[in-house]
Amino acid sequence: MSRAQRLLDLIQVLRRHRRAVAGAVLAEELGISLRTLYRDIETLKAQGAHIDGEAGIGYVLRPGFMLPPLMFSEEEIEALVLGSRWVSDRADGILGKAARNVLAKIGAVLPDDLKYGIDASGLLIGPGEPIAVGDHELAAIRQAIRTERKLRIDYADEHGNATQRTVWPVALAFFDRVRVIVAWCELRDGYRHFRCDRIAALETSSERYPRRRAVLLKEWRILRGIPEQ
C-alpha cells in the first residue's frame, strides 16, 4: 500500500469515529504499527488536518479538513465520474449542470495522470426515458427540503383522484422513470410518498415544519426498515 493511500485510509477511519479513538484501535484497523500511526497522524496535522488527542488518550478528527485531490484513488475518480454523469443525464437540468460543474472543478486541480481518468473513463450511462417533471418544480422541491419548509401541493393519485395536501418534504428519491417525494402528510397524519409527475401545482410555504428533517428522515427509515447510509 502506498503512503498516500495509507493516509487516505487513516482519514476515512477517523471520520467514521465521532469520539476519540485509541491509537491502538486505529493501528489495528489499518494493519500498521503504532509507530507508523503516530508518524502518519503528524503528517496529516502538517497538511492541515485538525486532529485532536495524543498517544495514550486517543484521537478525533475535527470537521472541515479537505483531502488534497492527489489522494483520490482511481476507483474514487471513477465513482465521481459515473455519479456525475448519471446526475447530468437523469436529474433535472439545474442539478445536471451543477454535476458537470463539479466534475470540471475537480478535473481542473487533479494531476495530469488522474485528470486523464476523468476524460477517458469507460463508465457510461445508458439512455433513459424523459421525466415529465419541470426543472423548476424539482428545484423548488429540493430547496424546500434543504430549508425544511412545508409544501402545498395539488396531487392526483393513480386513479386520478385529486386532493390538496400540505406536506413536510424530507427526501427526494430518483428512480429511472419517476421522482418521488418522501414527506409527512398533514392530511393523512403520517408519512406518504408522492410521485412528482402527479403534482399538478406546488407552492413553497414560508412556514418551517415543526421537527428537524434529520429526525423525520431517521424516523421514516426505521418505519420502512431501511438502514442508515
Side-chain angles (χ1 to χ4, degrees):
M1 179 189 299
S2 69
R3 185 165 183 265
Q5 184 63 49
R6 194 176 70 239
L7 293 173
L8 175 60
D9 290 346
L10 175 54
I11 286 289
Q12 301 301 343
V13 171
L14 284 168
R15 281 177 169 163
R16 290 201 300 267
H17 294 277
R18 298 187 178 181
R19 296 180 176 83
V21 56
V25 174
L26 293 171
E28 182 179 1
E29 188 166 350
L30 294 166
I32 60 178
S33 68
L34 265 176
R35 182 178 178 181
T36 299
L37 175 76
Y38 296 149
R39 186 169 61 246
D40 287 350
I41 285 177
E42 292 305 315
T43 298
L44 289 173
K45 285 182 177 180
Q47 293 180 1
H50 297 161
I51 301 175
D52 293 339
E54 58 186 65
I57 296 177
Y59 299 93
V60 62
L61 176 66
R62 299 302 179 189
F65 178 60
M66 301 298 292
L67 289 173
L70 179 63
M71 296 180 71
F72 282 128
S73 69
E74 291 181 352
E75 286 76 17
E76 288 167 340
I77 293 293
E78 287 187 332
L80 286 168
V81 171
L82 185 62
S84 296
R85 286 178 176 175
W86 193 97
V87 172
S88 178
D89 186 68
R90 300 293 175 84
D92 57 270
I94 298 172
L95 203 59
K97 181 179 179 181
R100 292 190 293 273
N101 288 343
V102 166
L103 206 56
K105 288 179 180 178
I106 292 173
V109 297
L110 284 177
D112 290 339
D113 56 337
L114 292 180
K115 186 182 301 182
Y116 176 79
I118 289 182
D119 298 332
S121 174
L123 303 181
L124 305 176
I125 301 298
E129 296 182 9
I131 303 299
V133 185
D135 290 355
H136 294 291
E137 287 82 358
L138 288 176
I141 292 167
R142 294 199 311 273
Q143 178 67 15
I145 291 172
R146 285 195 297 267
T147 58
E148 301 182 347
R149 305 286 176 177
K150 295 183 180 182
L151 281 176
R152 290 187 285 269
I153 61 175
D154 294 342
Y155 189 75
D157 64 18
E158 66 270 24
H159 304 297
N161 301 316
T163 54
Q164 291 184 328
R165 314 279 188 108
T166 297
V167 301
W168 311 348
V170 299
L172 181 61
F174 288 76
F175 296 90
D176 280 341
R177 294 179 175 84
V178 296
R179 308 291 179 257
V180 176
I181 303 173
V182 177
W184 176 272
C185 177
E186 293 186 356
L187 179 65
R188 303 303 185 199
D189 194 29
Y191 291 101
R192 294 293 186 272
H193 304 137
F194 301 95
R195 283 180 48 158
C196 293
D197 57 326
R198 293 177 180 167
I199 297 175
L202 68 84
E203 178 185 0
T204 304
S205 170
S206 60
E207 183 181 0
R208 294 174 65 102
Y209 42 78
R211 301 170 62 197
R212 296 308 305 268
R213 186 178 68 87
V215 174
L216 294 170
L217 185 59
K218 182 176 182 179
E219 186 176 82
W220 171 79
R221 286 183 179 277
I222 292 173
L223 290 173
R224 299 285 295 182
I226 300 174
E228 292 192 37
Q229 297 179 345

